[in-house]
Amino acid sequence: MDNHTKGFPVTQIYGFILSLVLTFAALFIALKTSLSANMIIWIIGTLAFVQAGLQLFMFMHLKDGEENGPKMVNIIYAIFLALVIVFGSIWVMSFGM
């Protein structure tokens, strides 16, 4: 019996709790540690990346269904677009081109 037939979304509750833990870990690192600003940014970025992956699997039903091909293509395309937007913005702000 899987989570959808039981009526109670156990995996979504676990995902929500893990997302809260990662968010509060980032908050603690940002406010209560004496690390350098560069190190804090890298740690928070890593935690954000982990949380994005967690949400893809827990909330976006990435592993549900039989046909994962179209889902993976859409996710790869979304990651590509996000990287182009982020790095393109950094490039424009840094070099003014």
Side-chain angles (χ1 to χ4, degrees), residues 25-44 47:
L27 181 67
F28 175 78
I29 288 170
L31 298 178
K32 299 291 184 182
T33 60
S34 60
L35 298 171
S36 68
N38 195 20
M39 182 61 87
I40 290 173
I41 289 171
W42 276 103
I43 292 172
I44 290 175
L47 289 174

Side-chain angles (χ1 to χ4, degrees), residues 6-51:
K6 282 194 259 183
F8 191 74
V10 175
T11 56
Q12 282 80 12
I13 299 297
Y14 289 146
F16 179 67
I17 291 170
L18 286 172
S19 293
L20 286 177
V21 167
L22 289 170
T23 300
F24 286 120
L27 181 67
F28 175 78
I29 288 170
L31 298 178
K32 299 291 184 182
T33 60
S34 60
L35 298 171
S36 68
N38 195 20
M39 182 61 87
I40 290 173
I41 289 171
W42 276 103
I43 292 172
I44 290 175
T46 303
L47 289 174
F49 185 75
V50 169
Q51 187 171 6

Side-chain angles (χ1 to χ4, degrees), residues 29 35 53 66-67 71 97:
I29 288 170
L35 298 171
E66 319 235 329
E67 298 178 12
K71 289 180 188 178
M97 295 181 188

Side-chain angles (χ1 to χ4, degrees), residues 59-80:
F59 300 120
M60 300 298 183
H61 306 286
L62 181 63
K63 57 186 174 181
D64 291 349
E66 319 235 329
E67 298 178 12
N68 286 331
K71 289 180 188 178
M72 287 308 288
V73 170
N74 289 339
I75 289 172
I76 291 169
Y77 182 63
I79 290 170
F80 171 73

